[in-house]
Amino acid sequence: MTAQLRADGTLRHLLTLEGLSRKDITLLLDRAQQFVRPIGARAPTSRALEGVTVANLFTEPSTRTRVSFELAAGRLGARVVNLEVQLSSRVKGESMLDTIFTLEALHVDVFVIRDAEAGVPALVAAHVAPHVSVLSAGEGSVAHPTQGLLDALTIRQRKRRFDGLVVAIVGDIRHSRVARSACHALATLGVAELRLVAPPALLPGADELGGCTRHTDIEAGLAGADVVMMLRIQRERMLDEAQLDGAAYFESFGLTPGRLRLAKPDAIVLHPQPMNRGVEIASEVADGPQSAIRDQVRNGVAVRMAVLATVARAGAEGGSA
Ligand code: NCD
């Protein structure tokens, strides 16, 4: 595993939340909170990353994550280049690393990478020059660290604590990098109980996420929860498309207003999006008073600003809003 921290303990890369300390995660959340403004207010800006160049390399579809990384870098004064996969030389046979070295020669300081293949962010991180940072924007089913941070930040804003909380993660956990990063963050931050709630075929392997409890019955999984995180069925990562009838899934595992009443009355609902309304979540819930889904999107930019400001090299320091 490529080290994420520099010798002095500061964050250089962000590839996974696994192994980061509670202090490291809390510092990132505190820094992100400084960049949060109410929806409708003017976005915060600073010149902390003036002179820094950030390259977004996304080889999988993305709306929120790519746009929010781009906005985050821009609001800190960095220059951003977006490489679409069709434009990158990867498809012409050039290896990923040759693309990276080319961009490094063009003075890219931070690579933001989303790829379907496990191991790509760490591979790049192992080969870049010492002043360059790599941020994962989603790695296969393995990790999505900035999503885990924005989920934790949203929970902290709404619940004001982590201790004592019961968090139910519901849906296609087996294929979800979002669930894995959320579990790593929330376990480290000290929630009382992390429940993985899914049909047996969508639970992760028994050797994974050991500290979590597992439920194959959604009613039992939701009972008394403080936080309900819904996940999309990730068809693109499934080898076997057999059990994919959306209506039948909604019947047995969709979050309806009736099922949400099994959670605590003040429970919040999270979803990383994209949502499939009428499959994993009912529109009444997605748009209802307990939904914190729009807060998650807003917090995504703040978290990415905090991470960029934290990793960007000395001389570009400053980061406050
Ligand atoms: C997620 C992803 O790409 O992992 N989306 C996101 O980044 N907000 C979740 C998903 O695709 O289901």
Side-chain angles (χ1 to χ4, degrees):
M1 176 73 220
T2 311
Q4 305 190 92
L5 303 181
R6 297 187 183 91
D8 64 0
T10 57
L11 193 71
R12 177 181 167 198
H13 305 298
L14 185 62
L15 311 177
T16 176
L17 299 178
E18 195 173 11
L20 290 187
S21 67
R22 186 187 289 213
K23 184 166 162 259
D24 292 330
I25 295 179
T26 303
L27 279 171
L28 287 170
L29 298 183
D30 291 347
R31 197 162 200 180
Q33 186 60 47
Q34 297 174 14
F35 294 119
V36 174
R37 300 288 183 277
I39 293 172
R42 203 178 165 129
T45 55
S46 99
R47 311 310 301 168
L49 262 63
E50 197 149 355
V52 169
T53 304
V54 177
N56 276 330
L57 272 81
F58 280 58
T59 61
E60 271 195 308
S62 174
T63 310
R64 278 152 295 274
T65 306
R66 196 193 59 72
V67 169
S68 64
F69 262 113
E70 184 173 354
L71 290 176
R75 285 176 190 163
L76 292 169
R79 178 172 284 268
V80 185
V81 288
N82 290 306
L83 274 91
E84 305 297 336
V85 68
Q86 306 90 298
L87 299 178
S88 87
S89 35
R90 201 181 184 198
V91 289
K92 288 188 244 154
E94 187 174 342
S95 82
M96 180 78 169
L97 286 176
D98 284 336
T99 305
I100 297 294
F101 297 143
T102 299
L103 291 165
E104 232 181 49
L106 298 171
H107 298 288
V108 166
D109 305 285
V110 181
F111 290 101
V112 179
I113 296 182
R114 168 171 288 199
D115 201 274
E117 206 179 310
V120 168
L123 175 78
V124 175
H127 286 87
V128 289
H131 68 276
V132 174
S133 293
V134 176
L135 307 179
S136 166
E139 173 191 0
S141 308
V142 177
H144 193 348
T146 55
Q147 179 74 38
L149 291 172
L150 76 88
D151 291 336
L153 184 63
T154 307
I155 293 169
R156 191 174 82 167
Q157 287 167 356
R158 293 287 185 118
K159 296 290 165 195
R160 303 270 158 217
R161 65 195 163 99
F162 292 105
D163 56 288
L165 292 183
V166 175
V167 179
I169 303 182
V170 184
D172 182 4
I173 299 162
R174 178 181 289 264
H175 302 99
S176 177
R177 54 195 177 203
V178 173
R180 285 178 179 79
S181 284
C183 287
H184 293 147
L186 297 174
T188 304
L189 291 166
V191 300
E193 191 185 342
L194 267 169
R195 296 179 186 162
L196 308 181
V197 187
L202 298 181
L203 279 171
D207 53 335
E208 270 198 275
L209 301 174
C212 305
T213 60
R214 290 163 185 246
H215 297 262
T216 52
D217 174 63
I218 187 167
E219 274 82 18
L222 292 175
D226 298 282
V227 176
V228 181
M229 178 186 293
M230 300 307 297
L231 299 173
R232 176 177 73 88
I233 296 179
Q234 289 153 72
R235 295 166 202 267
E236 74 276 21
R237 298 191 206 294
M238 290 184 178
L239 302 175
D240 168 16
E241 301 258 330
Q243 28 87 38
L244 277 180
D245 180 56
Y249 183 85
F250 186 69
E251 196 59 37
S252 57
F253 260 85
L255 187 63
T256 58
R259 286 192 174 132
L260 183 54
R261 279 195 286 277
L262 299 168
K264 294 231 176 84
D266 62 350
I268 60 164
V269 176
L270 304 179
H271 193 308
Q273 306 197 66
M275 279 187 277
N276 294 305
R277 293 164 182 262
V279 179
E280 74 272 9
I281 190 166
S283 274
E284 302 93 294
V285 174
D287 305 324
Q290 289 169 265
S291 170
I293 297 170
R294 283 188 71 198
D295 290 12
Q296 288 176 278
V297 179
R298 175 200 61 192
N299 289 336
V301 183
V303 157
R304 287 160 186 137
M305 288 175 83
V307 172
L308 284 163
T310 300
V311 300
R313 64 175 158 178
E317 257 304 330
S320 57

